[in-house]
Amino acid sequence: AAFWFAALFGYFGYQWWFNPARVVKHRLGEVAAALSVPEGESDIARISRLGQLRRYLATDLRVKAGTQDITSRDAAVAIAAAWRPQPGSGDVHFADAQIFIESDTAAHAYLAVELTSMDRESGHPVVDARDASVSLEKREGEWVITAAESKEAPAVR
C-alpha cells in the first residue's frame, strides 16, 4: 500500500510541479495579468507591470493582429504602455487554452483572448473574444512568447 501511495504521490506531484503544459499555461496567465490594467493603477505599478510583461516576451517577438504587424518586444511593450482604457475596463484573460508541447524547448497554444471593457452607453462590462495562436520557446530556463497571431484585432472601447 505504501508503494502505491508513493507512486500516486510521485505521479500527481510531477503533474502539478513539473508538467510543461501546466508551466506554459501558468506563463500565459502571467502574460494576461501583465496586459490587464487595474483600475486606479499608479505610475510605479504601471512601470512594474510593463517590466513583467517585457520578461515574458522574446526580443525577436512577432505579433500579427488583424492587419497590424508588430516586429519586436519593445514595440509590443510600447503599445501596451500607450493603452489607457477607461476606468473599469482593461481586463485581459486567456480562455480555453489548448497547449501543445512540441519539444523540451518549444510549445504552441491556441486560445481565446478575452478583453473586458465598459460599454460607454450602458456602463455594463462587455467581453470581446478573439481566437489566437501563440508560439513559445524555453530560453534561459524560462518560457517566453516568440510569436502570436489573431485574425482580427480586438475592439478597444
Side-chain angles (χ1 to χ4, degrees):
F3 170 77
W4 289 112
F5 179 73
L8 284 174
F9 182 75
Y11 172 77
F12 288 113
Y14 168 79
Q15 291 299 323
W16 179 252
W17 291 105
F18 301 112
N19 186 321
R22 187 199 69 79
V23 174
V24 167
K25 191 170 189 173
H26 181 72
R27 175 52 44 107
L28 291 172
E30 292 173 327
V31 171
L35 286 169
S36 297
V37 180
E39 193 168 347
E41 180 179 48
S42 70
D43 289 339
I44 300 291
R46 180 180 191 75
I47 291 168
S48 175
R49 180 176 56 81
L50 294 170
Q52 283 296 103
L53 176 62
R54 193 174 199 297
R55 284 188 39 228
Y56 304 145
L57 306 175
T59 56
D60 57 343
L61 174 72
R62 300 282 182 249
V63 177
K64 182 170 178 68
T67 59
Q68 186 176 18
D69 286 323
I70 302 167
T71 58
S72 73
R73 172 177 65 189
D74 293 336
V77 172
I79 289 170
W83 182 43
R84 303 257 184 191
Q86 67 183 37
S89 294
D91 182 45
V92 177
H93 179 74
F94 297 150
D96 302 326
Q98 298 176 0
I99 312 293
F100 299 93
I101 304 299
E102 298 167 356
S103 71
D104 289 344
T105 60
H108 201 83
Y110 297 97
L111 47 87
V113 179
E114 296 179 349
L115 172 62
T116 303
S117 59
M118 297 300 282
D119 185 341
R120 294 179 193 263
E121 294 177 13
S122 69
H124 292 97
V126 176
V127 177
D128 181 27
R130 308 294 170 145
D131 292 331
S133 170
V134 178
S135 296
L136 300 99
E137 286 184 14
K138 194 171 193 179
R139 295 183 180 174
E140 299 177 14
E142 294 289 330
W143 286 98
V144 294
I145 294 177
T146 57
E149 181 177 2
S150 176
K151 300 297 181 201
E152 302 176 62
V156 178
R157 299 186 194 284

